[in-house]
């Protein structure tokens, strides 16, 4: 029969606990740094893409306006072109382009602003050590996001109602003029 060695070294629980805490802190710091670096890279890409999108949007709107003006000039030379009837259409079309440009710009600004807020809160949360503070930050962000959303939707509703009114208005004036002309002939 062989005797087993009972040579067990005394393990200091305090030292083991400290070693584990150090490993967790180091791991957490590495994760925070990686998360912040990833967030910064995503934010830079987003900003670059947003600027490109805005530039392309503005270019498309300008080209659309230019194309519309060319079509109207081409039609003016036609024997079937009725300037009085076409004026309402031209005014309504111009109003639609102008208002849709404003609505589009507002949507782009709202979307880019909202995503920038997400990047900002993400960085703040990643840098925060206290979990209670993290919950407070998230709660405040959710509250502010909802308030901002409701406010912006109110603005969009106003923009859309104004656009609809601006587009219909020239036809109302044309209708009234036509009705007046018809009643004088009768």
């Amino acid at each position: 029969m062989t005797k087993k060695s009972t040579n067990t070294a005394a393990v200091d629980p305090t030292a083991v606990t400290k070693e584990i805490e150090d490993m967790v802190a180091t791991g957490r710091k590495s994760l925070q740094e990686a998360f912040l670096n990833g967030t910064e890279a995503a934010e830079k890409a987003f900003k670059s893409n947003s600027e490109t999108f805005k530039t392309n949007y503005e270019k498309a709107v300008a080209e659309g306006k230019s194309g519309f003006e060319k079509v109207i000039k081409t039609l003016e030379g036609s024997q079937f072109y009725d300037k009085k009837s076409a004026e309402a259409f031209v005014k309504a079309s111009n109003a639609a382009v102008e208002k849709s440009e404003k609505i589009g710009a507002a949507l782009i600004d709202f979307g880019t602003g909202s995503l920038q807020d997400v990047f900002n809160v993400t960085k703040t949360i990643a840098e925060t050590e206290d979990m209670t503070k993290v919950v407070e930050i998230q709660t405040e962000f959710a509250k502010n996001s909802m308030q901002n959303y409701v406010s912006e939707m109110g603005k969009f509703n106003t923009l859309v109602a104004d656009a609809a009114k601006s587009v219909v208005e020239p036809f109302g004036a044309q209708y009234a003029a036509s009705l007046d002309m018809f009643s004088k002939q009768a």
Side-chain angles (χ1 to χ4, degrees), residues 80-131:
F80 301 108
Y81 182 77
D82 178 15
K83 186 172 182 158
K84 286 185 179 184
S85 297
E87 282 180 5
F89 176 73
V90 171
K91 284 181 183 178
S93 297
N94 285 332
V97 168
E98 177 189 330
K99 299 301 180 173
S100 65
E101 185 178 2
K102 285 182 181 181
I103 292 169
L107 285 168
I108 291 169
D109 289 344
F110 174 66
T112 55
S114 295
L115 202 50
Q116 185 61 53
D117 291 344
V118 169
F119 285 126
N120 292 341
V121 81
T122 300
K123 285 188 228 175
T124 302
I125 288 172
E127 294 169 345
T128 303
E129 300 287 332
D130 181 18
M131 288 308 292

Side-chain angles (χ1 to χ4, degrees), residues 27-46:
R28 177 185 164 106
K29 198 67 173 164
S30 295
L31 284 173
Q32 280 178 323
E33 288 173 8
F35 189 73
L36 285 171
N37 289 338
T39 301
E40 288 172 7
E43 184 178 15
K44 284 179 186 175
F46 170 72

Side-chain angles (χ1 to χ4, degrees), residues 15-160:
V16 172
T17 301
K18 175 74 173 128
E19 188 175 330
I20 291 172
E21 287 173 350
D22 289 346
M23 286 185 337
V24 168
T26 301
R28 177 185 164 106
K29 198 67 173 164
S30 295
L31 284 173
Q32 280 178 323
E33 288 173 8
F35 189 73
L36 285 171
N37 289 338
T39 301
E40 288 172 7
E43 184 178 15
K44 284 179 186 175
F46 170 72
K47 284 181 179 179
S48 173
N49 289 336
S50 293
E51 289 305 315
T52 301
F53 180 77
K54 283 181 183 179
T55 301
N56 289 339
Y57 174 76
E58 290 166 0
K59 183 179 175 184
V61 169
E63 288 174 359
K65 285 180 182 177
S66 174
F68 180 73
E69 290 168 2
K70 287 177 185 175
V71 167
I72 295 301
K73 286 185 191 239
T74 302
L75 289 176
E76 285 177 351
S78 169
Q79 66 181 2
F80 301 108
Y81 182 77
D82 178 15
K83 186 172 182 158
K84 286 185 179 184
S85 297
E87 282 180 5
F89 176 73
V90 171
K91 284 181 183 178
S93 297
N94 285 332
V97 168
E98 177 189 330
K99 299 301 180 173
S100 65
E101 185 178 2
K102 285 182 181 181
I103 292 169
L107 285 168
I108 291 169
D109 289 344
F110 174 66
T112 55
S114 295
L115 202 50
Q116 185 61 53
D117 291 344
V118 169
F119 285 126
N120 292 341
V121 81
T122 300
K123 285 188 228 175
T124 302
I125 288 172
E127 294 169 345
T128 303
E129 300 287 332
D130 181 18
M131 288 308 292
T132 303
K133 185 70 176 163
V134 167
V135 171
E136 288 174 10
I137 291 167
Q138 288 176 324
T139 302
E140 186 68 21
F141 173 72
K143 178 182 144 197
N144 289 340
S145 293
M146 184 54 72
Q147 288 173 344
N148 191 30
Y149 177 80
V150 169
S151 172
E152 288 299 315
M153 288 307 109
K155 290 176 188 175
F156 288 131
N157 285 340
T158 301
L159 286 172
V160 170

